[in-house]
Amino acid sequence: MLPESSIPGIAHAQPRKRPHGLFKSRGGTWITSLSVLVSLLALLPIAFVIGVSWQIGWAQIEALVWRPRVGELLVNTVLLVLFTLPLCVALGIALAWLTERSNLPGRRAWSLLAVAPLAVPAFVHSYAWVSLVPSIHGLPAGVLVSVIAYFPFLYLPVAATLRRLDPAIEDVAESLGLKPWAVFWRVVLPQLRLAICGGALLVGLHLLAEYGLYAMIRFDTFTTAIFDQFKSTFNGPAANMLAAVLALCCLAMLTAEASARGHARYARVGSGSAREQRIVRLSPLLTVLALGLQAVTCVLALGVPLFTLGKWLIAGGREVWQFSELLPALEQTVLLGIAGAVLTTCAAVPIAWLSIRAPGRLQRILESCNYITSSLPGIVVALALVTVTIHFARPIYQTTITVLLAYLLMFLPRALVSLRAGIAQAPVELENMARSLGRSPGRALWLITMRLAAPAAAAGAALVFLAITNELTATLLLAPNGTRTLATGFWAMTSEIDYAAAAPYALIMILLSLPLTGLLYHQSKRTAGR
Amino acid sequence: MNALELTALCKTFGTQQALADVSLAVPNGSRMVIVGPSGSGKTTLLRMIAGFEFPDSGSLTLNGQVLVDATHAVPAHQRQIGYVPQDGALFPHMTVADNIGFGLAAKHTSRHARIAELMDSVALDANMARRWPHELSGGQQQRVALARALAQQPRLMLLDEPFSALDTGLRSAMRKMVARLLSDAGITTILVTHDQSEALSFADQLAVMRQGRLVQSGRPMDLYQYPADEQTALFLGEAVVMPARIEAGWAHCALGRVPVDSQANQGTTRIMLRPEQLLLSSTEGSGCRGVVTEREFGGNTCTLTVALQADEDVPGQAIPVRSSGLQAPNVGSVVHLTTVGLAHVLKKTAALSLS
């Protein structure tokens, strides 16, 4: 039916069946199906929550949920959030303003020190405090350690946004007769709203999800209660129902953040590059107070963990360095981290590619599936995977595959955000170019777009790796017998109150996290936002 | 023989009709320029030929091979069609040599020689081979993009406004170089541009597009002299358009009696003259009288605005007239205009004159 081609080189060029549907190439259809698959997987924990509620039935749900124990947990959780969030927000804004907008001596160093606590896993923070002040417990302890462990989540986006604000807007406000304080309240603070909301959401979700931190200081939250329940009754309805309530709390928090964020978009209007930020000169008294705030924060957030670790390491001497146990734990952690990071990054590729190259309603739905799941606590994801694998996929129950799946569900957005930024920097025209030079769509994607997005993908993979290194809850619940990562090894030691033997594990975790925390700091200097 | 044949191509994006029933034949070895204002669908057409977009209906044939029809489509990578976009789109992670060699077989023994040959053909110095794209000037980037597209010995070369990012002097030099290079290689070329002067100078075949439709195609000189309608006339260059009454090959208009190119037309219509067809004459009594109202000095030529005065008192139509820059009459002086050649009788096309 086709006339013979006159040029021998293209004699193989058989016309394909005309592509139809959403994406006009075979590659596009493949990518769409893959991203739908990943997103369906992401819906698993939600399906689990709905499924168990359905199975248990309303009468028993009532019996399990309307009891004093649940009320007590709810009060604990709400109080924790209500005290911790405002403190984190205030501390984050104060430190960010001081390091970005004032002439505080050593601003750069303070700025790095404000991010550094992220390298210390939350449960190591609370280990440090418990061994420093053994009597510490309950709500005040919970609030103290939470603020210290999580305030960088607010500092980072707020500082990045402050750096990018157009100083001309503040100049205009001042020229309209506003005093400096009024300028801050009426012009600067409203522009920080997105950063504050994003950071506060992140902190809030951590408060709901964290297990190790609160278990160590004997403060009961939903997560610790579910964990205990799971330990005593395994996969029982009580644990599942608590998980459902916890999931609801998370969804409520997501909704609250979305409505607080509103529809506002704060973008610079107009062209040309913004001028340098104006630096406020602090009075001597204020300088002393500011330095005091920075120093106290630094001592609490870095000094205490480092001091305690140092104390235990010295006290433990050479005996605590049990290399026959430490090295396998390090190896397993690194292997799990690399495998999880690679898997998660690969799974994020189709969704990231779609969101840049073919944005639409389908892609937005797929993306929000992944965000919702990753906002669910690790313990809910773990319970869901336990239930599903026991009932439907017995062969992979308590295998590394399940652990990696949990990492994928929990940390996909970290890879997604980076990857999306990377792909956005590779213009579609380059991919087209490669196709016109004879490369198939798949090859063009790999040779050009993926190659150009590689640095961003690596950054995303590093963030996932960091998260996996410090992951405790899901690993404890899902890992096959004999698995001992740095985090679970540390946990096993502290559970035996062998704080000295736990110290090397904590030190290695911190050292592993440090370069990646540096990367996070570096990234935030370039991009503001969540 | 025609290398490329487009038949009844249609394409809509949402509610926006990008291409409406476009048919065009491109003769073998010719340099076809598709010109039109932005949003006219010319880039969509080019991307469709390259295989980056697919038409809703219609067909596309290259050297007798069907590239797209109602049931089948050859994907871009099997078309062997060269493409040079506006910004060059060099791969930022590859050196100049790797960019040029991208379309060549990786293990080919003569790869190095071929890259050197291609660089030489686009007048790039051999020591540029190891440079990175960001170290090149705009003109050099375009040369690399051209060499890269030439490497695969394309059956057809597509150029999407390749000179518009360059500055004026470089632009015409590049244009000449590219035109000569492609002619020597005998490669059929399609260039898309919104710049009419570039279109007229590069093309040996010209096609004018507007609002997704192909308005007119043919030799550049023909389109310039005999445009299909008033909009095309104005798009291809400055024009004097005025109402006229046609009688037996002569138009009676504000310029007096002017010979026209059409014997068939009778009655009232509109005629078009290019400004260079109007000559200033100092001789009293010859041609038509007018007053210079504006003078725009432009170096070697000076553009005058002359208000025609058929009657002594009523100010007539103001028309542009070219004059040598040094001898241009002052504002307010009375001049006489004579015409050269034939005036073109415009067709009455209401359908397309939306703007």
Side-chain angles (χ1 to χ4, degrees):
Chain A
M1 148 197 148
L2 279 171
E4 272 299 314
S5 162
S6 52
I7 294 182
I10 54 112
H12 65 282
Q14 290 298 318
R16 290 221 184 108
K17 185 127 177 35
R18 187 75 185 275
H20 281 290
L22 193 53
F23 305 105
K24 296 282 186 183
S25 72
R26 196 187 270 188
T29 331
W30 262 104
I31 289 175
T32 313
S33 342
L34 278 176
S35 44
V36 169
L37 195 73
V38 171
S39 306
L40 282 181
L41 198 63
L43 286 180
L44 202 77
I46 306 247
F48 155 77
V49 167
I50 297 172
V52 291
S53 314
W54 183 263
Q55 210 177 16
I56 290 171
W58 183 243
Q60 216 190 333
I61 289 178
E62 239 175 319
L64 284 171
V65 173
W66 299 120
R67 58 197 172 110
R69 173 68 178 151
V70 176
E72 189 186 312
L73 292 175
L74 203 57
V75 168
N76 270 358
T77 308
V78 168
L79 285 179
L80 180 70
V81 170
L82 283 184
F83 281 109
T84 309
L85 273 191
L87 283 172
C88 276
V89 170
L91 188 61
I93 293 176
L95 295 186
W97 189 86
L98 285 173
T99 55
E100 292 303 325
R101 288 298 182 84
S102 77
N103 66 343
L104 189 73
R107 298 193 293 143
R108 290 297 117 215
W110 289 123
S111 152
L112 251 175
L113 287 173
V115 183
L118 279 184
V120 183
F123 48 83
V124 174
H125 274 291
S126 93
Y127 151 85
W129 283 91
V130 162
S131 49
L132 191 71
V133 189
S135 64
I136 198 169
H137 77 283
L139 181 65
V143 172
L144 172 73
V145 183
S146 305
V147 170
I148 283 164
Y150 297 131
F151 81 87
F153 284 134
L154 269 144
Y155 172 82
L156 267 176
V158 171
T161 311
L162 270 180
R163 211 160 17 225
R164 295 201 329 170
L165 289 185
D166 185 358
I169 294 179
E170 287 156 61
D171 294 346
V172 169
E174 213 165 318
S175 78
L176 292 171
L178 263 62
K179 292 205 174 73
W181 257 108
V183 172
F184 183 80
W185 274 108
R186 288 179 54 189
V187 176
V188 177
L189 205 55
Q191 293 187 87
L192 295 178
R193 191 159 86 168
L194 280 184
I196 293 171
C197 282
L201 175 69
L202 205 56
V203 174
L205 293 175
H206 271 91
L207 294 180
L208 293 183
E210 179 59 33
Y211 165 69
L213 192 168
Y214 304 112
M216 192 96 70
I217 52 168
R218 287 163 291 137
F219 179 64
D220 285 347
T221 66
F222 274 107
T223 304
T224 60
I226 295 168
F227 201 92
D228 295 342
Q229 192 74 250
F230 182 81
K231 276 278 174 77
S232 55
T233 64
F234 188 53
N235 192 20
N240 286 345
M241 264 350 280
L242 283 179
V245 176
L246 180 57
L248 275 182
C249 290
C250 286
L251 295 183
M253 203 169 263
L254 276 182
T255 321
E257 193 263 351
S259 56
R261 190 159 30 130
H263 294 290
R265 288 282 171 277
Y266 305 108
R268 222 166 77 78
V269 182
S271 55
S273 56
R275 284 187 301 107
E276 278 281 294
Q277 300 286 359
R278 226 168 4 153
I279 299 300
V280 176
R281 298 182 63 85
L282 298 175
S283 66
L285 176 67
L286 270 178
T287 309
V288 170
L289 285 178
L291 282 175
L293 178 69
Q294 295 280 12
V296 167
T297 311
C298 200
V299 163
L300 294 182
L302 287 172
V304 169
L306 293 183
F307 170 76
T308 320
L309 269 185
K311 196 183 79 178
W312 285 123
L313 284 175
I314 290 166
R318 198 177 270 178
E319 277 164 50
V320 296
W321 293 93
Q322 298 284 333
F323 286 108
S324 58
E325 285 182 8
L326 276 170
L327 287 180
L330 176 63
E331 186 191 336
Q332 272 198 331
T333 307
V334 170
L335 283 180
L336 271 180
I338 290 175
V342 169
L343 177 73
T344 309
T345 310
C346 289
V349 169
I351 302 175
W353 188 87
L354 271 190
S355 73
I356 298 297
R357 294 286 193 252
R361 189 181 297 172
L362 174 71
Q363 163 269 322
R364 277 200 300 277
I365 295 172
L366 294 181
E367 223 176 302
S368 46
C369 286
N370 293 295
Y371 279 108
I372 290 177
T373 295
S374 69
S375 71
L376 293 182
I379 195 143
V380 176
V381 174
L383 273 184
L385 283 175
V386 166
T387 312
V388 170
T389 49
I390 283 182
H391 288 293
F392 305 106
R394 205 58 189 259
I396 64 164
Y397 171 65
Q398 280 223 326
T399 61
T400 315
I401 298 174
T402 324
V403 182
L404 291 178
L405 264 182
Y407 293 157
L408 170 68
L409 296 184
M410 288 161 67
F411 304 133
L412 190 70
R414 295 183 186 225
L416 200 54
V417 169
S418 288
L419 204 51
R420 201 168 44 179
I423 292 179
Q425 281 168 0
V428 68
E429 203 63 15
L430 293 181
E431 222 174 285
N432 282 338
M433 221 39 253
R435 284 166 56 205
S436 89
L437 290 169
R439 297 294 196 280
S440 67
R443 294 275 297 158
L445 177 70
W446 176 251
L447 280 173
I448 306 299
T449 307
M450 282 306 130
R451 171 60 190 75
L452 289 173
L463 291 181
V464 176
F465 181 89
L466 174 67
I468 292 176
T469 313
N470 298 338
E471 213 289 331
L472 180 63
T473 331
T475 317
L476 278 178
L477 248 64
L478 292 172
N481 289 331
T483 306
R484 194 181 176 93
T485 65
L486 290 172
T488 58
F490 171 86
W491 194 249
M493 291 301 174
T494 53
S495 302
E496 295 162 18
I497 323 285
D498 191 351
Y499 287 165
Y505 289 93
L507 185 68
I508 297 175
M509 274 191 281
I510 293 174
L511 291 180
L512 265 183
S513 307
L514 264 183
L516 298 170
T517 310
L519 176 83
L520 207 63
Y521 175 74
H522 176 72
Q523 262 194 342
S524 80
K525 297 194 94 169
R526 289 186 301 161
T527 53
R530 296 215 277 167
Chain B
M1 184 202 157
N2 290 328
L4 181 73
E5 279 178 42
L6 316 177
T7 317
L9 291 174
C10 291
K11 175 79 179 177
T12 47
F13 292 113
T15 56
Q16 177 84 29
Q17 182 142 40
L19 292 179
D21 195 22
V22 172
S23 296
L24 182 67
V26 183
N28 215 342
S30 66
R31 289 197 306 272
M32 166 68 83
V33 173
I34 301 174
V35 66
S38 55
S40 58
K42 55 190 194 306
T43 296
T44 305
L45 188 62
L46 201 72
R47 295 173 63 80
M48 207 170 265
I49 300 169
F52 307 144
E53 304 274 359
F54 295 91
D56 298 335
S57 63
S59 71
L60 221 154
T61 312
L62 179 62
N63 296 339
Q65 184 204 12
V66 176
L67 293 184
V68 175
D69 64 9
T71 51
H72 290 89
V74 177
H77 63 282
Q78 294 176 357
R79 290 192 180 191
Q80 212 182 349
I81 292 178
Y83 178 61
V84 179
Q86 192 168 350
D87 53 0
L90 298 184
F91 303 127
H93 59 297
M94 295 181 187
T95 60
V96 166
D98 287 340
N99 261 290
I100 294 175
F102 191 86
L104 297 172
K107 293 269 155 38
H108 208 276
T109 46
S110 61
R111 186 182 153 89
H112 274 295
R114 180 87 179 108
I115 290 173
E117 187 189 325
L118 284 162
M119 287 184 65
D120 186 50
S121 71
V122 295
L124 274 176
D125 208 62
N127 61 23
M128 294 239 171
R130 297 173 70 182
R131 295 258 191 103
W132 295 92
H134 65 262
E135 300 169 335
L136 303 181
S137 71
Q140 289 166 338
Q141 289 189 1
Q142 284 297 6
R143 285 164 204 262
V144 175
L146 187 68
R148 180 177 62 179
L150 283 170
Q152 56 165 352
Q153 291 177 317
R155 300 190 286 169
L156 178 69
M157 179 68 90
L158 305 176
L159 308 172
D160 187 359
E161 310 215 8
F163 313 120
S164 63
L166 310 177
D167 48 39
T168 324
L170 190 58
R171 193 185 296 188
S172 75
M174 268 293 278
R175 196 157 59 211
K176 278 183 202 144
M177 193 272 282
V178 172
R180 196 174 52 241
L181 183 63
L182 292 169
S183 294
D184 290 352
I187 299 172
T188 313
T189 304
I190 300 180
L191 180 138
V192 149
T193 182
H194 65 268
D195 179 344
Q196 46 86 19
S197 66
E198 181 167 297
L200 292 169
S201 64
F202 188 85
D204 55 26
Q205 291 288 316
L206 188 63
V208 178
M209 284 193 73
R210 200 157 65 230
Q211 291 163 1
R213 287 172 194 279
L214 191 71
V215 183
Q216 196 177 5
S217 66
R219 295 194 308 132
M221 182 72 90
D222 292 344
L223 262 65
Y224 185 71
Q225 281 188 309
Y226 313 114
D229 54 30
E230 195 172 328
Q231 267 185 297
T232 311
L234 290 169
F235 184 73
L236 290 177
E238 260 187 297
V240 176
V241 177
M242 55 179 59
R245 187 167 46 80
I246 311 282
E247 260 173 35
W250 290 86
H252 300 270
C253 61
L255 285 165
R257 230 163 76 91
V258 181
V260 295
D261 60 356
S262 157
Q263 296 290 329
N265 279 291
Q266 295 290 338
T268 48
T269 181
R270 288 169 82 78
I271 58 165
M272 183 222 63
L273 286 153
R274 295 293 176 187
E276 58 270 26
Q277 286 182 275
L278 298 170
L279 291 184
L280 286 175
S281 127
S282 48
T283 332
E284 190 78 21
S286 71
C288 166
R289 208 175 103 95
V291 176
V292 178
T293 56
E294 270 177 50
R295 197 171 82 147
E296 190 183 86
F297 183 63
N300 52 3
T301 59
C302 188
T303 304
L304 304 173
T305 306
V306 175
L308 295 176
Q309 286 184 319
D311 297 319
E312 288 291 331
D313 308 319
V314 188
Q317 186 179 0
I319 57 174
V321 181
R322 299 268 157 74
S323 162
S324 139
L326 298 175
Q327 290 153 17
N330 289 323
V331 170
S333 50
V334 174
V335 292
H336 290 83
L337 296 175
T338 54
T339 60
V340 180
L342 306 175
H344 174 58
V345 180
L346 292 167
K347 282 192 208 117
K348 290 171 189 165
T349 47
L352 283 166
S353 53
L354 285 172
S355 61

PDB file of all heavy atoms in Angstrom, chain B residues 253-267:
ATOM      1  N   CYS B 253      -8.308  57.274 -10.314  1.00  0.00           N
ATOM      2  CA  CYS B 253      -8.215  57.342  -8.862  1.00  0.00           C
ATOM      3  C   CYS B 253      -7.610  58.678  -8.460  1.00  0.00           C
ATOM      4  O   CYS B 253      -7.397  59.548  -9.295  1.00  0.00           O
ATOM      5  CB  CYS B 253      -7.362  56.188  -8.340  1.00  0.00           C
ATOM      6  SG  CYS B 253      -5.682  56.236  -8.959  1.00  0.00           S
ATOM      7  N   ALA B 254      -7.301  58.803  -7.141  1.00  0.00           N
ATOM      8  CA  ALA B 254      -6.759  60.054  -6.619  1.00  0.00           C
ATOM      9  C   ALA B 254      -5.424  60.419  -7.264  1.00  0.00           C
ATOM     10  O   ALA B 254      -5.006  61.580  -7.248  1.00  0.00           O
ATOM     11  CB  ALA B 254      -6.593  59.952  -5.109  1.00  0.00           C
ATOM     12  N   LEU B 255      -4.745  59.422  -7.848  1.00  0.00           N
ATOM     13  CA  LEU B 255      -3.462  59.690  -8.501  1.00  0.00           C
ATOM     14  C   LEU B 255      -3.650  60.038  -9.974  1.00  0.00           C
ATOM     15  O   LEU B 255      -2.684  60.193 -10.709  1.00  0.00           O
ATOM     16  CB  LEU B 255      -2.561  58.458  -8.385  1.00  0.00           C
ATOM     17  CG  LEU B 255      -1.926  58.207  -7.015  1.00  0.00           C
ATOM     18  CD1 LEU B 255      -1.384  56.797  -6.928  1.00  0.00           C
ATOM     19  CD2 LEU B 255      -0.820  59.217  -6.757  1.00  0.00           C
ATOM     20  N   GLY B 256      -4.878  60.076 -10.399  1.00  0.00           N
ATOM     21  CA  GLY B 256      -5.146  60.364 -11.803  1.00  0.00           C
ATOM     22  C   GLY B 256      -5.429  59.084 -12.560  1.00  0.00           C
ATOM     23  O   GLY B 256      -6.032  58.160 -12.003  1.00  0.00           O
ATOM     24  N   ARG B 257      -4.944  59.012 -13.822  1.00  0.00           N
ATOM     25  CA  ARG B 257      -5.188  57.840 -14.654  1.00  0.00           C
ATOM     26  C   ARG B 257      -3.971  56.912 -14.564  1.00  0.00           C
ATOM     27  O   ARG B 257      -2.855  57.315 -14.891  1.00  0.00           O
ATOM     28  CB  ARG B 257      -5.400  58.293 -16.105  1.00  0.00           C
ATOM     29  CG  ARG B 257      -6.630  57.729 -16.768  1.00  0.00           C
ATOM     30  CD  ARG B 257      -6.947  58.558 -18.014  1.00  0.00           C
ATOM     31  NE  ARG B 257      -6.030  58.234 -19.109  1.00  0.00           N
ATOM     32  CZ  ARG B 257      -6.291  57.289 -20.025  1.00  0.00           C
ATOM     33  NH1 ARG B 257      -7.419  56.620 -19.988  1.00  0.00           N
ATOM     34  NH2 ARG B 257      -5.450  57.060 -21.005  1.00  0.00           N
ATOM     35  N   VAL B 258      -4.195  55.695 -14.084  1.00  0.00           N
ATOM     36  CA  VAL B 258      -3.084  54.758 -13.883  1.00  0.00           C
ATOM     37  C   VAL B 258      -3.414  53.455 -14.619  1.00  0.00           C
ATOM     38  O   VAL B 258      -4.523  52.945 -14.485  1.00  0.00           O
ATOM     39  CB  VAL B 258      -2.886  54.454 -12.381  1.00  0.00           C
ATOM     40  CG1 VAL B 258      -1.722  53.508 -12.177  1.00  0.00           C
ATOM     41  CG2 VAL B 258      -2.696  55.731 -11.594  1.00  0.00           C
ATOM     42  N   PRO B 259      -2.451  52.910 -15.398  1.00  0.00           N
ATOM     43  CA  PRO B 259      -2.716  51.620 -16.063  1.00  0.00           C
ATOM     44  C   PRO B 259      -2.756  50.488 -15.039  1.00  0.00           C
ATOM     45  O   PRO B 259      -2.006  50.504 -14.060  1.00  0.00           O
ATOM     46  CB  PRO B 259      -1.529  51.447 -17.003  1.00  0.00           C
ATOM     47  CG  PRO B 259      -0.442  52.276 -16.419  1.00  0.00           C
ATOM     48  CD  PRO B 259      -1.104  53.427 -15.738  1.00  0.00           C
ATOM     49  N   VAL B 260      -3.649  49.489 -15.225  1.00  0.00           N
ATOM     50  CA  VAL B 260      -3.762  48.380 -14.279  1.00  0.00           C
ATOM     51  C   VAL B 260      -3.402  47.065 -14.957  1.00  0.00           C
ATOM     52  O   VAL B 260      -3.336  46.973 -16.189  1.00  0.00           O
ATOM     53  CB  VAL B 260      -5.181  48.279 -13.659  1.00  0.00           C
ATOM     54  CG1 VAL B 260      -5.465  49.498 -12.807  1.00  0.00           C
ATOM     55  CG2 VAL B 260      -6.222  48.103 -14.743  1.00  0.00           C
ATOM     56  N   ASP B 261      -3.209  46.022 -14.131  1.00  0.00           N
ATOM     57  CA  ASP B 261      -2.732  44.734 -14.649  1.00  0.00           C
ATOM     58  C   ASP B 261      -3.861  43.823 -15.093  1.00  0.00           C
ATOM     59  O   ASP B 261      -3.628  42.682 -15.450  1.00  0.00           O
ATOM     60  CB  ASP B 261      -1.874  44.042 -13.584  1.00  0.00           C
ATOM     61  CG  ASP B 261      -2.657  43.783 -12.299  1.00  0.00           C
ATOM     62  OD1 ASP B 261      -3.830  44.219 -12.235  1.00  0.00           O
ATOM     63  OD2 ASP B 261      -2.117  43.175 -11.370  1.00  0.00           O
ATOM     64  N   SER B 262      -5.087  44.304 -14.989  1.00  0.00           N
ATOM     65  CA  SER B 262      -6.187  43.409 -15.314  1.00  0.00           C
ATOM     66  C   SER B 262      -7.112  44.098 -16.313  1.00  0.00           C
ATOM     67  O   SER B 262      -7.575  45.214 -16.089  1.00  0.00           O
ATOM     68  CB  SER B 262      -6.942  43.052 -14.026  1.00  0.00           C
ATOM     69  OG  SER B 262      -8.251  42.664 -14.342  1.00  0.00           O
ATOM     70  N   GLN B 263      -7.369  43.384 -17.401  1.00  0.00           N
ATOM     71  CA  GLN B 263      -8.283  43.914 -18.402  1.00  0.00           C
ATOM     72  C   GLN B 263      -9.723  43.573 -18.059  1.00  0.00           C
ATOM     73  O   GLN B 263     -10.645  44.264 -18.461  1.00  0.00           O
ATOM     74  CB  GLN B 263      -7.951  43.319 -19.778  1.00  0.00           C
ATOM     75  CG  GLN B 263      -6.578  43.693 -20.324  1.00  0.00           C
ATOM     76  CD  GLN B 263      -6.488  45.148 -20.727  1.00  0.00           C
ATOM     77  OE1 GLN B 263      -7.483  45.757 -21.140  1.00  0.00           O
ATOM     78  NE2 GLN B 263      -5.298  45.733 -20.604  1.00  0.00           N
ATOM     79  N   ALA B 264      -9.862  42.490 -17.290  1.00  0.00           N
ATOM     80  CA  ALA B 264     -11.204  41.947 -17.076  1.00  0.00           C
ATOM     81  C   ALA B 264     -12.052  42.825 -16.155  1.00  0.00           C
ATOM     82  O   ALA B 264     -13.258  42.917 -16.318  1.00  0.00           O
ATOM     83  CB  ALA B 264     -11.092  40.536 -16.491  1.00  0.00           C
ATOM     84  N   ASN B 265     -11.368  43.449 -15.142  1.00  0.00           N
ATOM     85  CA  ASN B 265     -12.134  44.175 -14.144  1.00  0.00           C
ATOM     86  C   ASN B 265     -12.755  45.451 -14.697  1.00  0.00           C
ATOM     87  O   ASN B 265     -12.149  46.174 -15.466  1.00  0.00           O
ATOM     88  CB  ASN B 265     -11.236  44.532 -12.970  1.00  0.00           C
ATOM     89  CG  ASN B 265     -11.081  43.349 -12.028  1.00  0.00           C
ATOM     90  OD1 ASN B 265     -12.020  42.971 -11.362  1.00  0.00           O
ATOM     91  ND2 ASN B 265      -9.904  42.752 -12.049  1.00  0.00           N
ATOM     92  N   GLN B 266     -13.954  45.681 -14.267  1.00  0.00           N
ATOM     93  CA  GLN B 266     -14.661  46.915 -14.620  1.00  0.00           C
ATOM     94  C   GLN B 266     -15.328  47.451 -13.364  1.00  0.00           C
ATOM     95  O   GLN B 266     -15.521  46.717 -12.410  1.00  0.00           O
ATOM     96  CB  GLN B 266     -15.726  46.647 -15.693  1.00  0.00           C
ATOM     97  CG  GLN B 266     -15.183  46.195 -17.040  1.00  0.00           C
ATOM     98  CD  GLN B 266     -14.433  47.287 -17.798  1.00  0.00           C
ATOM     99  OE1 GLN B 266     -14.638  48.471 -17.534  1.00  0.00           O
ATOM    100  NE2 GLN B 266     -13.542  46.900 -18.712  1.00  0.00           N
ATOM    101  N   GLY B 267     -15.640  48.712 -13.325  1.00  0.00           N
ATOM    102  CA  GLY B 267     -16.402  49.265 -12.207  1.00  0.00           C
ATOM    103  C   GLY B 267     -15.511  49.683 -11.061  1.00  0.00           C
ATOM    104  O   GLY B 267     -14.287  49.786 -11.180  1.00  0.00           O
TER     105      GLY B 267
END
